[in-house]
Amino acid sequence: MKNFPYFEYNLWEVILIKYDTHINGGIFLGMLFLGPFYNYIISNFNLIEISIFLLLYIYFLKLGSIFPDIDCPQSYIGKKFNILSKIINNKFHHRGFTHSALFIYFLIFISLLIDIGFKLLYPYILVFLDVYIFIMFYGFILGCISHILLDMFNSSGVCLFYPSCKKYRLPLAPVIKVGSNAEISLNSFLSLLTNILIVMYIFNLIEYLA
């Protein structure tokens, strides 16, 4: 047991939900909210550009779906960026700032700043850049949201309204322990739903191009 001021840590906060579950959750949420943007890109871009956009989108969904665990050096991404992870963990602790609504608002604010910056610096290629900027941040932010939601199935919850240190879980959500059959089932279910959505988008694209 490791204690920090205002935080209580237990074993389930150190042993994380598996990163592949988070990735499947991120891609599922991303596919679920792709609709309006998908219709825009298939109407305005060619097949190669559409493919690039979708690959970028999925990449940033995956990145966002594991990024909040940068606050834990034992996590998959924490091990990749160990020094940064230790700094963030020392400052905010696990499931603090990077697992909060404040973090999502921060990401939205940064994305708007970058978008405004490009509008001022590169007004003549705005449409081209805008799509790339939007798809990267949209995917990344949705991935982060999915991560937070999945962690709210865990018994310890997250500091959703950081800097308040009160932990929150999803109302009425079953407790899913790390590595349990429940997590394996959830992972498989998310993967199945994601594949169904992807097939639907592919058929929609084929129908549009036909």
Side-chain angles (χ1 to χ4, degrees):
M1 186 78 69
K2 185 179 181 182
N3 293 316
F4 294 95
Y6 308 109
F7 285 82
E8 291 184 1
Y9 276 61
N10 58 45
L11 183 61
W12 291 116
E13 288 188 289
V14 177
I15 303 176
L16 310 168
I17 289 178
K18 293 180 178 179
Y19 83 96
D20 56 333
T21 304
H22 276 306
I23 286 175
N24 280 330
I27 296 176
F28 167 68
L29 191 66
M31 292 298 108
L32 199 61
F33 286 93
L34 177 60
F37 181 64
Y38 181 77
N39 292 332
Y40 170 77
I41 63 172
I42 66 173
S43 302
N44 293 278
F45 298 94
N46 61 46
L47 186 58
I48 294 176
E49 290 170 328
I50 292 169
S51 300
I52 294 172
F53 291 146
L54 293 179
L55 287 173
L56 269 177
Y57 183 59
I58 292 173
Y59 175 81
F60 279 92
L61 280 170
K62 293 171 69 174
L63 181 61
S65 71
I66 60 174
F67 186 81
D69 275 343
I70 192 69
D71 63 3
C72 182
Q74 297 99 322
S75 68
Y76 176 81
I77 194 168
K79 291 176 181 177
K80 298 288 185 182
F81 302 94
N82 195 252
I83 295 176
L84 176 61
S85 182
K86 287 179 178 178
I87 293 171
I88 294 174
N89 179 264
N90 185 58
K91 178 67 176 177
F92 300 110
H93 308 303
H94 182 42
R95 291 186 180 164
F97 172 64
T98 62
H99 288 69
S100 69
L102 181 62
F103 180 61
I104 300 301
Y105 290 134
F106 172 75
L107 292 177
I108 294 171
F109 176 71
I110 293 297
S111 69
L112 290 174
L113 282 183
I114 292 175
D115 186 54
I116 291 170
F118 273 111
K119 284 179 180 178
L120 294 174
L121 295 174
Y122 305 103
Y124 300 109
I125 49 175
L126 174 61
V127 174
F128 180 76
L129 285 174
D130 247 3
V131 175
Y132 277 98
I133 293 169
F134 177 81
I135 202 166
M136 288 187 292
F137 274 101
Y138 187 60
F140 187 80
I141 291 170
L142 280 179
C144 289
I145 291 172
S146 75
H147 182 109
I148 295 169
L149 290 174
L150 282 176
D151 275 356
M152 291 177 73
F153 278 90
N154 197 264
S155 59
S156 56
V158 301
C159 297
L160 187 61
F161 299 109
Y162 186 90
S164 168
C165 298
K166 183 178 179 180
K167 297 289 185 75
Y168 290 87
R169 296 185 65 253
L170 287 174
L172 305 178
V175 175
I176 296 180
K177 293 184 178 180
V178 179
S180 65
N181 289 332
E183 184 184 357
I184 294 171
S185 298
L186 176 62
N187 192 6
S188 300
F189 184 62
L190 290 171
S191 181
L192 174 63
L193 292 178
T194 300
N195 288 329
I196 291 173
L197 289 172
I198 290 174
V199 170
M200 289 173 60
Y201 284 123
I202 291 173
F203 274 111
N204 182 264
L205 178 60
I206 293 172
E207 183 179 348
Y208 182 83
L209 295 175

